[in-house]
């Protein structure tokens, strides 16, 4: 009976996975390379949510899950948790990054200039259906024209000028700290109110869609701010490690990162600008803008969910939210049976009780 | 994980925060229980994994397959043979003994959640042992429905101090935690909380002096496969509108069935006897609903 | 299906941890996770291997043990801050340290120290133990601990706050979580 059924269940599980793989067709190295090459923004999004910067593994995760983003992120996170911590990178300042796109909506021009960089912002959103026609020659490659003068590699933050002019509070003092002492959400449980480091880490690996929903709710009238994008940056950041023998810092490689700052006046009852910040691995503008907005609003005085830190950070956890949602597929018949027992008992009680109106008569 | 488990045993019913790692199993599918199991398993262990009482449920089979693959330990469906039992929402009908470990998977560790969704505030209530809101909610259930309406996951007070969610086990299983010979470890992977009920520890469901906690009635239910009575039954709706009943504990059912076929099997003493009496006499009080 | 090999070191950790969990689950019952007549300092080291790493802190007044434990990468903290404290030989002079050891808060009673203390499970004082994990009561002789330790323990523990103790001699291990009530007979 049960023993036989156990084996049947295991076979069914194997077949179910096989069915999934068969339906989605065979995968090989070439197809993983192709996805890695042509879908960098998708790869970036997954790496950010997985907090694992590994474009090749992210492409593999995507292919292996048939493009199910939540599954792909889970695969990467599960892989990540098996990897030992080899070293702690040296913290860097945001102006040390190699910035390729930097814009500010707060001023027409800012020190260092507005730099559009690579973006589809001003493209016409028309499907290039001609690409579907195999008989047409592919459009000729237009080489990027060289600039007369090279763009700056680093930019002075907009906040530097704002602080000089008394619009923003001075940056909080943070004495140099050992990276070992920075709280790490992947190693320590989060309790609320969360330390700032944990809050920024949770935002950095949060679900893009979840942050957008809550951030948009704020922007769309449930918020207390009209957000102004103070600065938005896409950059390459060097990962500096120390040579274990000599102690000399060296760059072990570069990762793509996004950063956004949101400002709003009269924040917290002060005649000052309030500042929200978010950053993530990979280039994902909508995520950092929404996250910076939430960073600014999360300590709000009103009970709206988007203004409660614990609500925002708990419910935008991609792996937990998706895992819990799909766990309802599991059988719950014992729990349901227990509820039925209470329900039937209440029904019996109700049929025995004299309605209040009759009692009064 | 191991450090936190020790703390959990030293603080019966208290939720110890821990850093739950991502595992190759989806969150909400038993990752908390799995992490506990993997941190405990030794070469001589024998594992049983159940889901809703069944060893043959796909999720139980999947977790068992994963544990065996990662550790190479033996597996069983017999609660008596197992040294470690990982379970979702049930405790076996046969009494567990000293030295056995029961790991319960927990979806929501906070018993105060229905009355206090803010977890920081709920923690303060635990710190103050202030469970007034919970009592109030029980009272409101009585007023509105004439009975306690909580189904599974009935809140209990552990060692006279902490209010605890026993995980969504049916009320039938709740008394099995009281003064038990085995240790129960409860883990919520998604919520990152661990807690424990050590052996021989008081576990009492919340109840009023005049209105008592009640387990699910199994009165008149007979397992259609084994003829067993007074054990927790699954209710199976039939196409003709009738219903039949089947033992929820599949490992126990298998042994009863094998015994009936003439096989030699050891069937252990059960928490409830064949007349439905719980083994700690007097623990379950008589029916006293207002009506 | 492939099985992941578990190395000897991990097997040893697992065995010691199992004994520690059993010691806290059944306080007052002696566990034997290592060979008989293991030097107390080695037993302390075996326990430390399970309990401490980069992410924890420790304290011990014993110079040799201190040198060994430093190798785990755990941080050295004074007794009023250290998570895990090791006293292979507890003397009256160590009692102020125990008095200062963290007992956690009402919000986080788990933020309390765990103490590992050497003793002898023979002669000396007889303790009557009672509490979770003990069916009625257990009587256990314990020697080489200052009698004032027991008074101090009673004062320090204000459940749920308080520290938890592992007592060990060369062969055996005994758990005294804060829930265990100990009375000198």
């Amino acid at each position: 009976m049960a023993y036989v059924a156990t084996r049947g269940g295991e076979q069914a599980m194997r077949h179910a996975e096989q069915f999934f793989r068969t339906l989605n067709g065979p995968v090989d190295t070439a197809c993983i390379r192709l996805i890695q090459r042509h879908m960098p923004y998708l790869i970036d999004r997954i790496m950010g949510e997985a907090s694992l910067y590994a474009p090749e593994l992210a492409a593999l995760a995507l292919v292996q899950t048939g493009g199910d983003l939540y599954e792909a992120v889970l695969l990467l996170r599960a892989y990540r948790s098996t990897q030992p911590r080899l070293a702690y990178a040296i913290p860097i300042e945001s102006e040390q990054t190699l910035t390729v796109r930097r814009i500010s909506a707060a001023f027409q021009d800012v020190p260092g200039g507005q730099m559009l960089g690579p973006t589809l912002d001003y493209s016409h959103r028309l499907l290039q259906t001609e690409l579907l026609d195999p008989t047409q020659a592919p459009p000729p490659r237009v080489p990027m024209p060289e600039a007369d003068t090279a763009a700056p590699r680093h930019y002075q933050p907009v906040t530097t000028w704002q602080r000089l002019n008394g619009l923003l509070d001075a940056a909080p003092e943070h004495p140099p700290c050992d990276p070992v002492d920075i709280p790490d959400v992947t190693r320590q449980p989060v309790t609320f109110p969360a330390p700032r480091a944990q809050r920024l880490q949770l935002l950095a690996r949060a679900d893009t869609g979840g942050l957008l929903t809550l951030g948009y709710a704020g922007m769309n009238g449930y918020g207390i701010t009209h957000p102004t994008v103070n600065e938005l940056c896409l950059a390459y950041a060097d990962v500096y490690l120390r040579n274990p023998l000599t102690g000399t810092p060296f760059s072990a490689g570069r990762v793509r990162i996004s950063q956004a700052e949101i400002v709003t006046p009269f924040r917290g009852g002060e005649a000052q600008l309030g500042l929200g910040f978010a950053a993530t691995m990979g280039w994902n503008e909508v995520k950092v803008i929404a996250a910076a907005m939430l960073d600014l609003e999360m300590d709000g005085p009103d009970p709206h969910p988007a203004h409660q830190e614990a609500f925002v950070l708990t419910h935008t956890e991609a792996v937990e939210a998706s895992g819990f949602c799909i766990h309802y597929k599991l059988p719950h018949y014992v729990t349901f049976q227990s509820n039925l027992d209470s329900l039937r008992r209440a029904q019996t009680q109700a049929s025995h009780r004299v309605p209040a109106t009759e009692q009064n008569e | 994980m191991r450090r936190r488990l020790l703390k959990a045993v030293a603080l019966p019913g208290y939720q110890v925060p821990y850093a739950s790692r991502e595992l190759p199993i989806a969150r909400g599918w038993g990752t908390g229980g799995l992490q506990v199991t993997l941190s405990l398993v030794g070469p001589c262990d024998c594992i049983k994994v159940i889901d809703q009482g069944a060893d043959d449920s796909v999720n139980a089979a999947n977790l068992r397959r994963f544990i065996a693959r990662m550790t190479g330990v033996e597996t069983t469906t017999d609660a008596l043979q197992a040294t470690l039992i990982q379970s979702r929402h049930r405790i076996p009908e046969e009494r567990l003994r000293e030295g056995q470990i029961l790991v319960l998977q927990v979806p929501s560790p906070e018993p105060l959640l229905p009355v206090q969704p803010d977890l920081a505030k709920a923690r303060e209530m635990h710190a103050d042992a202030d469970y007034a809101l919970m009592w109030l909610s029980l009272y409101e259930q009585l007023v509105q429905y004439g009975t306690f309406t909580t189904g599974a996951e009935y809140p209990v007070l552990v060692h006279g101090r902490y209010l605890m969610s026993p995980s969504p086990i049916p009320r039938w299983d709740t008394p099995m935690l009281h003064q038990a010979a085995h240790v129960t470890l409860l883990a919520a992977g998604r919520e990152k909380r661990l807690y424990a009920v050590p052996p021989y520890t008081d576990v009492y469901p919340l109840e009023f002096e005049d209105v008592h906690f009640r387990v699910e009635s199994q009165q008149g239910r007979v397992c259609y496969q084994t003829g067993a009575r007074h054990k927790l039954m699954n209710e199976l709706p039939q196409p003709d509108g009738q219903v039949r009943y089947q033992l929820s504990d599949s490992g126990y059912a298998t042994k009863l069935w094998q015994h009936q076929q003439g096989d030699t099997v050891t069937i252990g003493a059960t928490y409830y006897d064949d007349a439905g009496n719980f083994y700690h006499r007097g623990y379950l009080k008589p029916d006293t609903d207002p009506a | 299906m492939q099985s992941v090999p578990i190395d000897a070191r991990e097997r040893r950790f697992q065995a010691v941890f199992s004994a520690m969990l059993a010691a806290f689950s059944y306080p007052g019952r002696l566990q034997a996770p290592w060979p008989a007549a293991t030097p107390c300092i080695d037993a302390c080291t075996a326990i430390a291997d399970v309990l401490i790493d980069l992410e924890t802190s420790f304290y011990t007044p014993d110079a040799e043990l201190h040198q060994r434990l430093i190798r785990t990468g755990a941080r050295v903290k004074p007794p009023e801050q250290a998570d895990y404290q090791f006293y292979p030989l507890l003397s009256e002079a160590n009692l102020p340290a125990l008095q200062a050891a963290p007992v956690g808060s009402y919000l986080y009673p788990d933020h309390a120290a765990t103490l590992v203390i050497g003793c002898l499970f023979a002669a000396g004082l007889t303790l009557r133990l009672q509490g979770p994990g003990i069916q009625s009561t257990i009587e256990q002789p314990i020697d080489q601990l200052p009698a004032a330790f027991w008074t101090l323990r009673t004062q320090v523990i204000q459940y749920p706050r308080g520290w938890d103790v592992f007592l060990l001699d060369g062969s055996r291990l005994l758990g005294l979580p804060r829930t265990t009530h100990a009375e000198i007979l």
Side-chain angles (χ1 to χ4, degrees), chain A residues 159-174:
Chain A
T159 49
T160 306
W161 182 87
Q162 288 162 327
R163 290 202 164 103
L164 272 176
N165 285 274
L167 296 170
L168 261 180
D169 284 338
E173 284 292 318
H174 50 92

Side-chain angles (χ1 to χ4, degrees), chain C:
Chain C
M1 229 177 316
Q2 97 258 20
S3 149
V4 177
I6 295 171
D7 62 22
R9 196 174 128 85
E10 171 52 29
R11 275 198 202 290
R12 205 167 55 240
F13 287 1
Q14 190 280 327
V16 174
F17 171 67
S18 270
M20 292 167 75
L21 188 68
F24 267 15
S25 300
Y26 300 98
R29 290 197 208 176
L30 294 172
Q31 311 291 332
W34 41 70
T38 299
C40 187
I41 190 166
D42 290 345
C44 282
T45 314
I47 296 256
D49 281 338
V50 173
L51 289 178
I52 66 176
D53 61 18
L54 277 173
E55 290 164 12
T56 51
S57 60
F58 78 92
Y59 166 79
T60 180
D62 185 289
E64 189 191 342
L65 188 59
H66 181 90
Q67 285 311 313
R68 289 196 194 182
L69 299 191
I70 267 196
R71 280 180 235 140
T72 60
R75 278 174 281 175
V76 181
K77 290 260 177 86
E80 59 271 23
Q81 289 172 21
D83 305 322
Y84 295 95
Q85 312 196 6
F86 299 84
Y87 301 88
L89 249 180
L90 187 75
S91 68
E92 295 269 354
N94 301 125
L95 293 183
L98 296 199
Q99 178 129 38
V103 291
S105 62
Y106 283 101
L107 274 181
Y108 293 98
D110 54 316
H111 292 179
T114 301
L115 315 177
V116 179
I117 301 175
C119 68
L120 263 186
F121 298 119
L125 296 172
T126 299
L127 275 296
R128 177 182 287 152
L129 307 175
Q130 207 174 344
I134 302 169
Q135 204 167 5
S136 52
T137 60
I138 286 187
E139 287 176 17
Q140 174 65 46
I142 296 174
D143 200 7
Q144 289 193 358
L145 283 185
F149 165 78
W150 299 103
T151 327
L152 175 66
R153 180 175 178 272
T154 312
Q155 285 166 1
V156 163
I157 297 175
Q158 303 204 337
Y159 190 78
R161 299 168 75 206
W163 29 250
D164 308 305
V165 178
F166 285 104
L167 293 179
L168 50 83
D169 72 3
S171 318
R172 291 157 304 173
L173 174 71
L174 179 140
L176 276 184
R178 65 193 87 174
T179 47
T180 306
H181 178 75
E183 179 195 350
I184 302 176
L185 292 182

Side-chain angles (χ1 to χ4, degrees), chain B residues 69-148:
Chain B
R69 177 171 169 182
M70 289 297 140
T71 63
V73 290
E74 266 187 75
T75 63
T76 182
T77 61
D78 185 345
L80 297 185
Q81 278 179 22
T83 54
L84 204 159
I85 300 173
Q86 177 170 337
S87 168
R88 178 169 168 264
H89 307 183
R90 275 260 28 216
I91 299 176
E93 298 284 353
E94 290 165 281
R95 283 186 228 165
L96 299 181
R97 62 175 183 277
E98 288 191 356
Q100 284 183 304
I101 299 176
L102 173 68
V103 178
L104 289 175
Q105 299 170 202
V106 181
S108 297
E110 182 49 72
L112 295 168
L113 203 62
V115 296
Q116 179 50 271
D118 183 331
L119 292 178
K121 286 187 186 140
R123 182 161 279 270
E124 280 171 26
M125 288 161 70
H126 285 296
D128 299 339
D130 171 10
Y131 300 130
L133 277 179
M134 207 64 205
W135 287 106
L136 184 65
S137 125
L138 279 185
Y139 177 71
E140 283 172 350
Q141 293 175 12
L142 281 185
V143 170
Q144 194 170 359
Y145 298 106
T147 181
F148 298 137

Side-chain angles (χ1 to χ4, degrees), chain A residues 174-191:
Chain A
H174 50 92
C177 80
D178 189 339
V180 178
D181 294 326
I182 299 173
D184 179 347
V185 292
T186 67
R187 300 284 171 141
Q188 294 140 6
V190 181
T191 44

Side-chain angles (χ1 to χ4, degrees), chain B residues 173-196:
Chain B
D173 293 354
T174 309
M176 300 175 186
L177 295 169
H178 173 74
Q179 290 291 328
H182 70 278
V183 58
T184 305
L185 305 172
L186 301 101
R190 192 179 55 90
E191 298 267 12
K192 305 175 188 64
R193 295 288 183 274
L194 272 181
Y195 48 104

Side-chain angles (χ1 to χ4, degrees), chain A residues 2 5-6 13 77 81 186-187 320 323-324 326-327 331-334 337-339 341-342 344-345 349 353, chain B residues 19 22 27-29 52 64 88 144-146 150-152 171 190 192 214 216-217 235 254 287 289 291:
Chain A
T6 297
M13 277 188 292
R77 287 221 195 149
S81 66
T186 67
R187 300 284 171 141
E320 282 164 22
F324 201 56
I326 59 173
H327 114 279
H332 281 81
Y333 53 83
V334 167
Q337 191 79 142
S338 181
N339 291 336
D341 178 86
S342 296
R344 284 171 177 150
R345 188 153 181 85
Q349 294 292 325
R353 272 206 264 183
Chain B
E22 268 94 7
R27 273 287 158 81
W29 292 57
Q52 310 280 302
R64 183 169 50 240
R88 178 169 168 264
Q144 194 170 359
Y145 298 106
T150 308
R171 302 191 302 286
R190 192 179 55 90
K192 305 175 188 64
R214 296 170 43 85
E216 292 84 355
S217 169
E235 182 177 346
T254 306
D287 187 0
D289 270 0

Side-chain angles (χ1 to χ4, degrees), chain B residues 143-162:
Chain B
V143 170
Q144 194 170 359
Y145 298 106
T147 181
F148 298 137
T149 56
T150 308
E153 210 170 1
Y154 196 96
V156 291
L157 197 65
V158 180
H159 186 45
R161 178 57 178 80
Y162 284 108

